[in-house]
Amino acid sequence: MILPIGACNFEEAMQMGAETYHHLKGIIAEKYGSSGFNVGEDGGFAPNISSFTEGLNLVKEAIDRAGYDGRIKVALDVAATEFCIGKKYDLDFKTPNKSGQNFKTGEEMIEMYTQLCAEYPIVSIEQPFDKDDWEHTKLFSDLGLCQVVGDDLLMSNPKRIERAIQESTCDALLLKINQIGNVTEAIEVVKQAKDVNWGVVVSHRSGETEDSFIADLAVGLATGQFKAGAPCRGERLAKYNQLLRIEEELGSQAVYAGENWRS
Ligand SMILES: C=C(OP(=O)(O)O)C(=O)O
């Protein structure tokens, strides 16, 4: 994921994101051929890469080619629960002939993230460990290398959020409104997170519709962070288009978080 934090307003952020996306498409076409730019569920390209760094290098090159080096930062959604087996992580889980042969321990995952944060402009990592791996999430979070976002760790659930606050397990909430259930409860968990100065990311889901309500929710709750996938596919663009409309309607009163995306 990319964060156009150097934009002056949301309209410019959208332009920066769309330009970078199209440069990425061009780079993928050069390196992997046209099948590489088939899009996945969230509108992102899905070329046949074999490592984290291969994917990150493509994104970094796209940001450079678009001329936004320094103005666009990078975030990862690792969704590590998907490839945690027992207490170890199978980074080759998508490659049938390699899967199950090369597991990383929680400590090795921390080393890997530390190195990635040193080499790439990564400012946020979502779900870096399994949903019940509180220990390694905290150990990584304590390093203070980037924002650590809890998705399935927290499940937008006030009890799990409270535990994470008490134990300093992470420092940002991924808010999926249909995970918690209703708007009142969503507002409460956002307050809970903001009271301890956590970041809050309003998030889309897989299998989205063209409902754009989460865009209004993010502005109304001033979360500063919003993820709705790539600028591609109607159900993703519906949310970004709503943010554009809101910014236009608010005029000079609109505030784009930009460099203050965490507060
Ligand atoms: C789409 C996402 O999650 P889910 O598949 O749980 O809806 C996400 O976290 O970006």
Side-chain angles (χ1 to χ4, degrees):
M1 293 178 288
I2 59 170
L3 287 78
I5 61 167
C8 300
N9 52 36
F10 180 71
E11 186 183 357
E12 190 188 7
M14 199 60 222
Q15 181 177 341
M16 289 165 70
E19 286 174 8
T20 305
Y21 183 75
H22 286 283
H23 278 288
L24 183 60
K25 184 173 180 178
I27 294 164
I28 289 173
E30 285 163 25
K31 294 191 200 275
Y32 306 86
S34 58
S35 65
F37 55 74
N38 289 337
V39 299
E41 168 84 34
D42 300 348
F45 300 119
N48 192 16
I49 55 170
S50 51
S51 68
F52 264 96
T53 48
E54 194 176 338
L56 281 165
N57 287 337
L58 296 172
V59 173
K60 197 164 178 300
E61 196 176 336
I63 294 170
D64 288 348
R65 277 202 201 175
Y68 294 128
D69 185 26
R71 293 179 71 203
I72 291 187
K73 302 289 180 189
V74 171
L76 305 180
D77 175 6
V78 182
T81 307
E82 300 289 323
F83 55 89
C84 180
I85 318 280
K87 287 190 180 301
K88 293 196 176 168
Y89 296 89
D90 181 5
L91 291 186
D92 293 320
F93 76 115
K94 284 192 174 165
T95 316
N97 58 347
K98 282 180 153 180
S99 176
Q101 292 169 27
N102 182 19
F103 290 102
K104 277 197 191 292
T105 62
E107 283 73 21
E108 287 167 338
M109 293 290 281
I110 292 177
E111 275 169 35
M112 182 186 75
Y113 293 135
T114 303
Q115 205 173 338
L116 290 177
C117 287
E119 287 171 14
Y120 297 92
I122 294 171
V123 293
S124 180
I125 303 186
E126 178 187 324
Q127 206 53 47
F129 300 93
D130 178 61
K131 66 177 176 7
D132 292 316
D133 193 346
W134 296 78
E135 180 196 348
H136 292 102
T137 313
K138 176 178 167 50
L139 286 171
F140 177 61
S141 198
D142 281 350
L143 298 177
L145 300 175
C146 66
Q147 171 179 262
V148 176
V149 186
D151 178 5
D152 14 340
L153 176 86
L154 304 173
M155 297 174 186
S156 308
N157 176 302
K159 290 205 180 101
R160 291 181 78 97
I161 296 169
E162 189 51 36
R163 173 170 175 193
I165 291 171
Q166 292 308 324
E167 297 179 11
S168 304
T169 314
C170 60
D171 61 0
L173 162 71
L174 191 83
L175 180 70
K176 287 175 168 166
I177 185 151
N178 64 348
Q179 232 173 20
I180 176 70
N182 65 44
V183 177
T184 308
E185 288 169 307
I187 293 170
E188 275 161 19
V189 291
V190 169
K191 273 200 205 137
Q192 198 181 357
K194 284 193 167 197
D195 281 351
V196 289
N197 296 318
W198 275 18
V200 178
V201 188
V202 170
S203 172
H204 66 164
R205 300 299 316 254
S206 303
E208 274 285 340
T209 69
E210 286 198 3
D211 190 313
S212 58
F213 170 72
I214 58 168
D216 297 82
L217 186 78
V219 176
L221 296 176
T223 61
Q225 298 181 63
F226 181 78
K227 89 168 183 180
C232 174
R233 300 177 56 127
E235 78 279 8
R236 315 286 146 188
L237 282 165
K239 282 83 172 157
Y240 296 127
N241 285 338
Q242 179 67 354
L243 288 176
L244 288 170
R245 280 190 289 270
I246 294 171
E247 185 173 72
E248 194 178 3
E249 192 181 322
L250 289 175
S252 61
Q253 287 180 296
V255 179
Y256 176 67
E259 301 280 348
N260 301 321
W261 58 280
R262 291 237 40 217
S263 51

